[in-house]
Coordinates of all heavy atoms in Angstrom, one line a residue:
M286 N 9.9 -2.3 2.9 CA 9.4 -2.9 4.1 C 9.9 -4.3 4.3 O 9.8 -5.1 3.3 CB 7.9 -2.8 4.0 CG 7.3 -2.7 5.4 SD 5.5 -2.4 5.5 CE 4.9 -2.3 3.9
T287 N 10.3 -4.7 5.5 CA 10.7 -6.0 5.7 C 9.5 -6.9 6.0 O 8.5 -6.4 6.4 CB 11.7 -6.1 6.9 OG1 11.0 -5.8 8.1 CG2 12.9 -5.2 6.7
L288 N 9.7 -8.2 5.9 CA 8.6 -9.1 6.3 C 8.1 -8.9 7.7 O 7.0 -9.0 8.0 CB 9.1 -10.6 6.1 CG 9.0 -11.2 4.7 CD1 9.6 -12.5 4.7 CD2 7.5 -11.3 4.4
R289 N 9.1 -8.6 8.6 CA 8.7 -8.5 10.0 C 7.8 -7.2 10.1 O 6.8 -7.3 10.9 CB 10.0 -8.3 10.9 CG 9.7 -8.7 12.3 CD 11.0 -8.6 13.1 NE 12.0 -9.6 12.7 CZ 12.0 -10.9 13.1 NH1 11.0 -11.3 13.8 NH2 12.9 -11.7 12.7
Q290 N 8.1 -6.2 9.4 CA 7.3 -5.0 9.5 C 5.9 -5.2 8.9 O 4.9 -4.7 9.4 CB 8.0 -3.8 8.7 CG 9.2 -3.3 9.5 CD 10.0 -2.3 8.6 OE1 10.1 -2.5 7.4 NE2 10.6 -1.3 9.2
K291 N 5.9 -6.0 7.8 CA 4.6 -6.3 7.2 C 3.8 -7.1 8.2 O 2.6 -6.9 8.3 CB 4.8 -7.2 5.9 CG 5.3 -6.3 4.8 CD 5.6 -7.2 3.6 CE 6.1 -6.3 2.4 NZ 6.5 -7.2 1.3
Q292 N 4.4 -8.1 8.9 CA 3.7 -8.9 9.8 C 3.2 -8.0 11.0 O 2.0 -8.2 11.4 CB 4.7 -10.0 10.4 CG 4.0 -11.1 11.1 CD 5.0 -12.1 11.7 OE1 6.0 -11.6 12.2 NE2 4.6 -13.3 11.8
G293 N 4.0 -7.0 11.4 CA 3.5 -6.1 12.4 C 2.3 -5.3 12.0 O 1.4 -5.1 12.7
L294 N 2.4 -4.8 10.7 CA 1.3 -4.1 10.2 C 0.0 -4.9 10.1 O -1.1 -4.4 10.5 CB 1.7 -3.6 8.8 CG 0.7 -2.6 8.1 CD1 0.7 -1.3 8.7 CD2 1.0 -2.5 6.6
I295 N 0.1 -6.1 9.7 CA -1.1 -7.0 9.6 C -1.6 -7.2 11.0 O -2.9 -7.2 11.2 CB -0.7 -8.4 9.0 CG1 -0.3 -8.2 7.5 CG2 -1.8 -9.4 9.2 CD1 0.4 -9.4 6.9
L296 N -0.8 -7.4 12.0 CA -1.2 -7.6 13.4 C -1.9 -6.4 13.9 O -3.0 -6.5 14.5 CB 0.0 -7.9 14.3 CG -0.3 -8.4 15.7 CD1 -0.8 -9.8 15.6 CD2 1.0 -8.3 16.6
L297 N -1.4 -5.2 13.6 CA -2.0 -3.9 14.0 C -3.4 -3.8 13.4 O -4.4 -3.5 14.0 CB -1.1 -2.8 13.5 CG -1.5 -1.4 14.0 CD1 -1.1 -1.2 15.5 CD2 -0.9 -0.3 13.2
L298 N -3.5 -4.1 12.0 CA -4.8 -4.0 11.4 C -5.8 -5.0 12.0 O -7.0 -4.6 12.2 CB -4.6 -4.4 9.9 CG -4.1 -3.3 8.9 CD1 -3.9 -3.9 7.5 CD2 -5.0 -2.1 8.9
T299 N -5.3 -6.1 12.4 CA -6.2 -7.2 13.0 C -6.7 -6.7 14.3 O -7.9 -6.8 14.6 CB -5.4 -8.5 13.1 OG1 -4.8 -8.8 11.9 CG2 -6.3 -9.6 13.6
V300 N -5.8 -6.1 15.1 CA -6.2 -5.7 16.5 C -7.2 -4.5 16.4 O -8.2 -4.6 17.0 CB -4.9 -5.3 17.3 CG1 -5.3 -4.6 18.6 CG2 -4.1 -6.6 17.6
V301 N -6.8 -3.5 15.6 CA -7.7 -2.4 15.4 C -9.1 -2.8 14.9 O -10.1 -2.4 15.4 CB -7.1 -1.3 14.5 CG1 -8.1 -0.2 14.2 CG2 -5.8 -0.7 15.2
G302 N -9.0 -3.7 13.8 CA -10.3 -4.2 13.2 C -11.1 -4.9 14.2 O -12.3 -4.7 14.3
L303 N -10.5 -5.8 15.0 CA -11.2 -6.5 16.0 C -11.9 -5.6 17.1 O -13.1 -5.8 17.4 CB -10.3 -7.5 16.8 CG -10.2 -8.9 16.3 CD1 -9.2 -9.7 17.1 CD2 -11.6 -9.6 16.3
V304 N -11.1 -4.7 17.6 CA -11.6 -3.7 18.6 C -12.8 -3.0 18.0 O -13.9 -2.9 18.7 CB -10.5 -2.8 19.0 CG1 -11.1 -1.6 19.9 CG2 -9.4 -3.5 19.8
L305 N -12.7 -2.4 16.8 CA -13.8 -1.7 16.2 C -15.0 -2.6 16.0 O -16.1 -2.2 16.3 CB -13.3 -1.0 14.9 CG -12.3 0.1 15.0 CD1 -12.0 0.6 13.6 CD2 -12.8 1.2 15.9
A306 N -14.8 -3.8 15.4 CA -15.9 -4.7 15.0 C -16.6 -5.2 16.2 O -17.8 -5.4 16.2 CB -15.3 -5.8 14.2
L307 N -15.9 -5.4 17.4 CA -16.5 -6.0 18.5 C -17.1 -5.0 19.5 O -18.1 -5.3 20.1 CB -15.5 -6.9 19.2 CG -15.1 -8.2 18.5 CD1 -14.1 -8.9 19.2 CD2 -16.3 -9.0 18.1
W308 N -16.4 -3.8 19.6 CA -16.8 -3.0 20.7 C -17.4 -1.6 20.3 O -17.8 -0.9 21.2 CB -15.6 -2.8 21.7 CG -15.4 -4.0 22.5 CD1 -16.3 -4.6 23.4 CD2 -14.2 -4.8 22.5 NE1 -15.7 -5.8 23.9 CE2 -14.5 -5.9 23.4 CE3 -13.0 -4.7 21.9 CZ2 -13.5 -6.9 23.6 CZ3 -12.1 -5.7 22.1 CH2 -12.3 -6.8 23.0
H309 N -17.3 -1.3 19.1 CA -17.7 0.1 18.7 C -19.3 0.1 18.6 O -19.8 -0.8 17.9 CB -17.1 0.6 17.5 CG -17.1 2.1 17.4 ND1 -18.2 2.8 17.1 CD2 -16.1 3.0 17.6 CE1 -17.9 4.1 17.1 NE2 -16.6 4.2 17.4
P310 N -19.9 1.1 19.2 CA -21.4 1.1 19.2 C -22.0 1.5 17.8 O -23.1 1.2 17.5 CB -21.8 2.2 20.3 CG -20.5 3.0 20.5 CD -19.4 2.1 20.1
N311 N -21.2 2.2 17.0 CA -21.6 2.7 15.7 C -21.5 1.6 14.7 O -20.4 1.0 14.5 CB -20.8 3.9 15.3 CG -21.4 4.6 14.1 OD1 -21.8 3.9 13.2 ND2 -21.3 5.9 14.1
V312 N -22.6 1.3 14.0 CA -22.6 0.2 13.0 C -21.7 0.4 11.9 O -21.0 -0.5 11.4 CB -24.1 -0.1 12.5 CG1 -24.1 -1.2 11.5 CG2 -25.0 -0.5 13.7
V313 N -21.6 1.7 11.4 CA -20.7 2.0 10.3 C -19.3 1.7 10.7 O -18.5 1.2 9.9 CB -21.0 3.5 9.9 CG1 -20.0 3.8 8.7 CG2 -22.4 3.7 9.4
V314 N -18.9 2.2 11.9 CA -17.5 1.9 12.3 C -17.3 0.4 12.5 O -16.2 -0.1 12.2 CB -17.2 2.7 13.6 CG1 -15.8 2.5 14.1 CG2 -17.5 4.2 13.4
M315 N -18.3 -0.3 13.0 CA -18.1 -1.8 13.1 C -17.9 -2.4 11.7 O -17.0 -3.3 11.6 CB -19.4 -2.4 13.7 CG -19.5 -2.2 15.2 SD -21.1 -2.9 15.8 CE -20.5 -4.6 16.2
A316 N -18.6 -1.9 10.7 CA -18.4 -2.4 9.4 C -17.0 -2.1 8.9 O -16.3 -2.9 8.2 CB -19.4 -1.8 8.4
A317 N -16.5 -0.9 9.2 CA -15.1 -0.5 8.8 C -14.1 -1.5 9.5 O -13.1 -1.9 8.9 CB -14.9 0.9 9.2
G318 N -14.4 -1.8 10.8 CA -13.6 -2.8 11.5 C -13.5 -4.1 10.8 O -12.4 -4.7 10.7
I319 N -14.7 -4.6 10.3 CA -14.7 -5.9 9.6 C -13.9 -5.8 8.3 O -13.2 -6.7 7.9 CB -16.2 -6.3 9.4 CG1 -16.9 -6.6 10.7 CG2 -16.3 -7.5 8.4 CD1 -18.4 -6.7 10.7
M320 N -14.0 -4.6 7.6 CA -13.3 -4.4 6.4 C -11.8 -4.5 6.7 O -11.0 -5.1 6.0 CB -13.6 -3.0 5.8 CG -15.0 -2.9 5.2 SD -15.4 -4.1 4.0 CE -14.4 -3.5 2.7
L321 N -11.4 -3.9 7.9 CA -9.9 -3.9 8.3 C -9.5 -5.4 8.5 O -8.4 -5.8 8.1 CB -9.7 -3.1 9.5 CG -9.6 -1.6 9.4 CD1 -9.3 -1.0 10.8 CD2 -8.4 -1.3 8.5
L322 N -10.4 -6.1 9.1 CA -10.1 -7.5 9.4 C -9.9 -8.3 8.0 O -9.0 -9.1 7.9 CB -11.2 -8.2 10.2 CG -11.2 -7.9 11.7 CD1 -12.4 -8.6 12.3 CD2 -9.9 -8.4 12.3
L323 N -10.8 -8.0 7.1 CA -10.7 -8.6 5.8 C -9.4 -8.2 5.1 O -8.7 -9.1 4.5 CB -11.9 -8.3 4.9 CG -13.2 -8.9 5.3 CD1 -14.3 -8.4 4.4 CD2 -13.1 -10.4 5.1
A324 N -9.1 -6.9 5.2 CA -7.8 -6.4 4.5 C -6.6 -7.1 5.2 O -5.7 -7.5 4.5 CB -7.7 -4.9 4.7
A325 N -6.6 -7.3 6.5 CA -5.5 -7.9 7.2 C -5.4 -9.4 6.7 O -4.2 -9.8 6.4 CB -5.8 -7.9 8.7
S326 N -6.5 -10.1 6.6 CA -6.4 -11.5 6.1 C -5.8 -11.6 4.7 O -5.0 -12.4 4.3 CB -7.7 -12.2 6.2 OG -8.6 -11.6 7.0
L327 N -6.3 -10.6 3.9 CA -5.9 -10.6 2.5 C -4.4 -10.3 2.4 O -3.6 -11.0 1.7 CB -6.6 -9.5 1.7 CG -6.7 -9.6 0.2 CD1 -7.6 -10.8 -0.2 CD2 -7.2 -8.4 -0.4
L328 N -3.9 -9.3 3.2 CA -2.5 -9.0 3.2 C -1.7 -10.1 3.7 O -0.6 -10.4 3.2 CB -2.2 -7.7 4.1 CG -2.6 -6.4 3.5 CD1 -2.4 -5.3 4.5 CD2 -1.9 -6.1 2.2
Y329 N -2.2 -10.9 4.7 CA -1.5 -12.0 5.2 C -1.3 -13.1 4.1 O -0.2 -13.6 4.0 CB -2.3 -12.6 6.4 CG -1.5 -13.5 7.2 CD1 -0.8 -13.1 8.3 CD2 -1.4 -14.9 7.0 CE1 -0.1 -13.9 9.1 CE2 -0.7 -15.8 7.7 CZ 0.0 -15.2 8.8 OH 0.8 -16.1 9.6
L330 N -2.4 -13.3 3.3 CA -2.3 -14.2 2.2 C -1.3 -13.8 1.2 O -0.6 -14.6 0.6 CB -3.7 -14.4 1.6 CG -4.6 -15.3 2.3 CD1 -6.0 -15.2 1.7 CD2 -4.2 -16.7 2.4
V331 N -1.2 -12.5 0.9 CA -0.4 -12.0 -0.2 C 1.1 -11.8 0.3 O 2.0 -12.2 -0.5 CB -0.9 -10.6 -0.7 CG1 0.0 -10.0 -1.6 CG2 -2.3 -10.8 -1.3
W332 N 1.3 -11.3 1.5 CA 2.6 -11.0 1.9 C 3.4 -12.2 2.6 O 4.6 -12.3 2.4 CB 2.6 -9.9 3.0 CG 2.5 -8.5 2.3 CD1 2.7 -8.2 1.0 CD2 2.1 -7.3 3.0 NE1 2.5 -6.9 0.8 CE2 2.2 -6.3 2.0 CE3 1.8 -6.9 4.3 CZ2 1.9 -4.9 2.3 CZ3 1.6 -5.6 4.6 CH2 1.6 -4.6 3.6
M333 N 2.7 -13.0 3.3 CA 3.4 -14.1 4.1 C 3.7 -15.3 3.2 O 3.1 -16.3 3.3 CB 2.5 -14.5 5.3 CG 2.3 -13.4 6.3 SD 3.9 -12.9 7.1 CE 4.1 -11.3 6.4
R334 N 4.6 -15.0 2.2 CA 5.0 -16.1 1.3 C 6.5 -16.2 1.2 O 7.2 -15.2 1.5 CB 4.4 -15.8 -0.1 CG 3.0 -16.0 -0.2 CD 2.4 -15.7 -1.6 NE 1.0 -15.9 -1.6 CZ 0.4 -17.1 -1.8 NH1 1.1 -18.1 -2.0 NH2 -0.9 -17.2 -1.8
C335 N 6.9 -17.4 0.9 CA 8.3 -17.7 0.8 C 8.9 -16.9 -0.5 O 8.3 -17.0 -1.5 CB 8.6 -19.2 0.6 SG 10.2 -19.6 0.1
P336 N 10.0 -16.1 -0.3 CA 10.5 -15.4 -1.4 C 11.2 -16.3 -2.4 O 11.4 -15.9 -3.6 CB 11.6 -14.5 -0.8 CG 11.8 -15.0 0.6 CD 10.7 -15.8 1.0
E337 N 11.5 -17.6 -2.0 CA 12.1 -18.5 -3.0 C 11.1 -19.2 -3.8 O 11.3 -19.3 -5.0 CB 13.0 -19.5 -2.2 CG 14.2 -18.9 -1.5 CD 15.2 -18.3 -2.4 OE1 15.3 -18.8 -3.5 OE2 15.7 -17.2 -2.1
C338 N 10.1 -19.8 -3.2 CA 9.2 -20.7 -4.0 C 7.8 -20.2 -4.0 O 7.0 -20.7 -4.7 CB 9.2 -22.1 -3.4 SG 8.5 -22.3 -1.8
G339 N 7.5 -19.1 -3.2 CA 6.1 -18.6 -3.2 C 5.1 -19.3 -2.4 O 4.0 -18.9 -2.4
A340 N 5.6 -20.3 -1.6 CA 4.6 -21.0 -0.8 C 4.2 -20.2 0.4 O 4.9 -19.4 0.9 CB 5.3 -22.3 -0.3
W341 N 2.9 -20.3 0.7 CA 2.3 -19.5 1.8 C 2.9 -20.1 3.1 O 3.0 -21.3 3.3 CB 0.8 -19.6 1.8 CG 0.1 -18.7 2.8 CD1 0.4 -17.4 2.9 CD2 -0.9 -19.1 3.7 NE1 -0.4 -16.9 3.9 CE2 -1.2 -17.9 4.4 CE3 -1.5 -20.3 4.0 CZ2 -2.2 -17.9 5.4 CZ3 -2.5 -20.2 5.0 CH2 -2.8 -19.1 5.7
F342 N 3.2 -19.2 4.1 CA 3.8 -19.6 5.4 C 2.8 -20.4 6.2 O 3.2 -21.2 7.1 CB 4.3 -18.4 6.2 CG 5.5 -17.7 5.5 CD1 5.9 -16.5 6.0 CD2 6.2 -18.3 4.5 CE1 6.9 -15.8 5.4 CE2 7.3 -17.7 4.0 CZ 7.6 -16.4 4.4
G343 N 1.5 -20.1 6.1 CA 0.6 -20.8 6.9 C 0.4 -20.0 8.2 O 0.8 -18.8 8.3
K344 N -0.3 -20.6 9.1 CA -0.7 -20.0 10.4 C 0.5 -19.6 11.3 O 0.6 -18.6 11.9 CB -1.6 -20.9 11.2 CG -3.0 -20.4 11.2 CD -3.9 -21.3 12.1 CE -5.3 -20.8 12.3 NZ -6.1 -21.8 12.9
Y345 N 1.5 -20.5 11.3 CA 2.7 -20.3 12.2 C 4.0 -20.2 11.4 O 4.7 -21.3 11.3 CB 2.7 -21.4 13.3 CG 1.4 -21.5 14.0 CD1 0.5 -22.5 13.7 CD2 1.1 -20.5 15.0 CE1 -0.7 -22.6 14.4 CE2 -0.1 -20.6 15.6 CZ -1.0 -21.7 15.3 OH -2.2 -21.7 16.0
P346 N 4.3 -19.1 10.8 CA 5.5 -19.0 10.1 C 6.8 -19.1 11.0 O 6.8 -18.5 12.0 CB 5.5 -17.6 9.5 CG 4.5 -16.8 10.3 CD 3.6 -17.8 10.9
G347 N 7.7 -19.9 10.5 CA 8.9 -20.1 11.3 C 10.1 -19.4 10.6 O 9.9 -18.5 9.9
D348 N 11.3 -19.9 10.9 CA 12.5 -19.3 10.3 C 12.8 -19.9 8.9 O 13.5 -19.3 8.1 CB 13.7 -19.5 11.2 CG 13.6 -18.5 12.3 OD1 13.0 -17.4 12.2 OD2 14.2 -18.8 13.4
Y349 N 12.2 -21.1 8.6 CA 12.5 -21.7 7.4 C 11.2 -22.1 6.6 O 10.2 -22.4 7.3 CB 13.3 -23.0 7.6 CG 14.7 -22.7 8.1 CD1 14.9 -22.7 9.5 CD2 15.7 -22.4 7.3 CE1 16.2 -22.3 10.0 CE2 17.0 -22.1 7.8 CZ 17.2 -22.0 9.1 OH 18.4 -21.7 9.6
C350 N 11.2 -22.0 5.3 CA 10.0 -22.3 4.5 C 9.7 -23.8 4.7 O 10.6 -24.7 4.7 CB 10.3 -22.0 3.1 SG 9.0 -22.6 1.9
K351 N 8.4 -24.1 4.9 CA 8.0 -25.5 5.1 C 8.1 -26.3 3.8 O 8.1 -27.5 3.8 CB 6.6 -25.5 5.7 CG 6.4 -25.0 7.1 CD 5.0 -25.2 7.5 CE 4.8 -24.4 8.8 NZ 4.6 -23.0 8.6
D352 N 8.0 -25.5 2.7 CA 8.0 -26.2 1.4 C 9.3 -26.5 0.8 O 9.6 -27.6 0.4 CB 7.2 -25.3 0.5 CG 6.1 -26.0 -0.3 OD1 5.3 -26.7 0.4 OD2 6.1 -26.0 -1.5
C353 N 10.2 -25.4 0.7 CA 11.5 -25.6 0.0 C 12.7 -25.6 1.0 O 13.8 -25.8 0.6 CB 11.7 -24.6 -1.1 SG 11.9 -22.9 -0.5
G354 N 12.4 -25.2 2.3 CA 13.5 -25.2 3.3 C 14.4 -24.0 3.3 O 15.3 -23.9 4.0
A355 N 14.0 -23.0 2.4 CA 14.8 -21.8 2.4 C 14.7 -20.9 3.6 O 13.6 -21.0 4.3 CB 14.4 -20.9 1.2
K356 N 15.7 -20.2 4.0 CA 15.6 -19.4 5.2 C 14.8 -18.2 4.9 O 14.9 -17.6 3.8 CB 17.0 -18.9 5.6 CG 17.0 -18.1 6.9 CD 18.3 -18.4 7.7 CE 18.4 -17.6 9.0 NZ 17.1 -17.4 9.7
I357 N 13.8 -17.9 5.8 CA 12.9 -16.8 5.5 C 13.6 -15.5 6.0 O 13.9 -15.3 7.2 CB 11.6 -17.0 6.2 CG1 10.9 -18.2 5.6 CG2 10.7 -15.8 6.1 CD1 9.8 -18.8 6.4
P358 N 13.8 -14.5 5.1 CA 14.5 -13.3 5.4 C 13.6 -12.3 6.1 O 13.2 -11.3 5.5 CB 15.0 -12.8 4.0 CG 14.0 -13.3 3.1 CD 13.4 -14.6 3.7
W359 N 13.4 -12.5 7.4 CA 12.4 -11.6 8.1 C 12.8 -10.2 8.2 O 12.0 -9.3 8.2 CB 12.2 -12.1 9.5 CG 11.4 -13.4 9.6 CD1 11.8 -14.7 9.8 CD2 10.0 -13.5 9.4 NE1 10.8 -15.5 9.7 CE2 9.6 -14.8 9.5 CE3 9.0 -12.5 9.1 CZ2 8.3 -15.2 9.3 CZ3 7.7 -12.9 9.0 CH2 7.3 -14.3 9.1
D360 N 14.1 -9.9 8.2 CA 14.6 -8.5 8.4 C 15.2 -8.0 7.1 O 15.8 -6.9 7.2 CB 15.6 -8.5 9.6 CG 14.9 -8.8 10.9 OD1 13.8 -8.1 11.2 OD2 15.4 -9.7 11.6
E361 N 15.0 -8.7 6.0 CA 15.6 -8.2 4.8 C 14.6 -7.5 4.0 O 13.4 -8.0 3.9 CB 16.1 -9.4 4.0 CG 17.3 -9.2 3.2 CD 17.8 -10.5 2.6 OE1 18.5 -11.2 3.3 OE2 17.4 -10.9 1.5
K362 N 14.9 -6.4 3.3 CA 14.0 -5.7 2.5 C 13.9 -6.5 1.2 O 14.9 -6.8 0.5 CB 14.5 -4.3 2.2 CG 14.3 -3.4 3.3 CD 14.3 -1.9 2.9 CE 13.8 -1.0 4.0 NZ 14.8 -0.7 5.0
T363 N 12.7 -6.9 0.8 CA 12.5 -7.7 -0.4 C 12.6 -6.8 -1.6 O 12.1 -5.6 -1.6 CB 11.1 -8.4 -0.4 OG1 10.1 -7.5 0.1 CG2 11.1 -9.6 0.5
K364 N 13.2 -7.3 -2.7 CA 13.4 -6.6 -3.9 C 12.1 -6.7 -4.8 O 11.9 -5.8 -5.6 CB 14.6 -7.0 -4.6 CG 15.9 -6.6 -4.0 CD 17.1 -7.3 -4.5 CE 18.3 -7.0 -3.7 NZ 18.8 -8.2 -3.0
R365 N 11.4 -7.7 -4.5 CA 10.2 -7.9 -5.3 C 9.0 -7.0 -4.8 O 9.0 -6.7 -3.6 CB 9.7 -9.4 -5.3 CG 10.5 -10.2 -6.3 CD 10.3 -11.7 -6.0 NE 11.6 -12.3 -5.9 CZ 11.8 -13.6 -5.9 NH1 10.8 -14.4 -6.0 NH2 13.0 -14.1 -5.8
N366 N 8.1 -6.6 -5.7 CA 7.1 -5.7 -5.2 C 5.9 -6.4 -4.7 O 4.8 -6.2 -5.2 CB 6.7 -4.8 -6.4 CG 7.7 -3.9 -6.8 OD1 8.5 -3.4 -6.0 ND2 7.8 -3.6 -8.1
L367 N 6.1 -7.1 -3.6 CA 4.9 -7.7 -3.0 C 5.0 -7.5 -1.5 O 6.0 -7.7 -0.9 CB 4.8 -9.2 -3.2 CG 3.9 -9.7 -4.4 CD1 3.9 -11.2 -4.5 CD2 2.5 -9.1 -4.2
Ligands
ZN580 ZN1 9.9 -21.9 -0.1

């Protein structure tokens, strides 16, 4: 999976989680939505990191790492298992 695909997956989880948590009448489904939101934040913390130095991208990831200046390989499949 490329970083861009991971970012898309996180966005999808966030949107689905938000919709369920805010608009679903069933409390159990709402709780599931909140879990999805938590999972999305967790994945964001784990996945959105610089492959060179491991620094977190932060809220607005750009094309280059803010920490070490390495180019972020958005469309490259990472060899590391994260
Ligand atoms: Zn870096």
Side-chain angles (χ1 to χ4, degrees):
M286 210 171 1
T287 67
L288 270 174
R289 201 177 296 281
Q290 287 169 326
K291 286 175 178 174
Q292 200 186 29
L294 185 70
I295 291 167
L296 191 71
L297 188 77
L298 281 177
T299 309
V300 170
V301 173
L303 264 180
V304 169
L305 292 181
L307 293 177
W308 288 299
H309 204 283
N311 188 322
V312 176
V313 177
V314 180
M315 280 178 94
I319 292 165
M320 292 304 287
L321 278 181
L322 283 177
L323 286 175
S326 340
L327 202 72
L328 285 177
Y329 197 90
L330 283 172
V331 172
W332 278 347
M333 295 294 110
R334 285 180 182 279
C335 169
E337 292 300 321
C338 68
W341 189 50
F342 293 165
K344 249 182 174 173
Y345 305 103
D348 282 333
Y349 295 92
C350 172
K351 291 182 190 79
D352 230 53
C353 68
K356 185 147 179 36
I357 294 164
W359 286 104
D360 293 308
E361 211 173 278
K362 285 202 168 79
T363 40
K364 284 168 191 113
R365 278 166 234 192
N366 290 329
L367 264 183

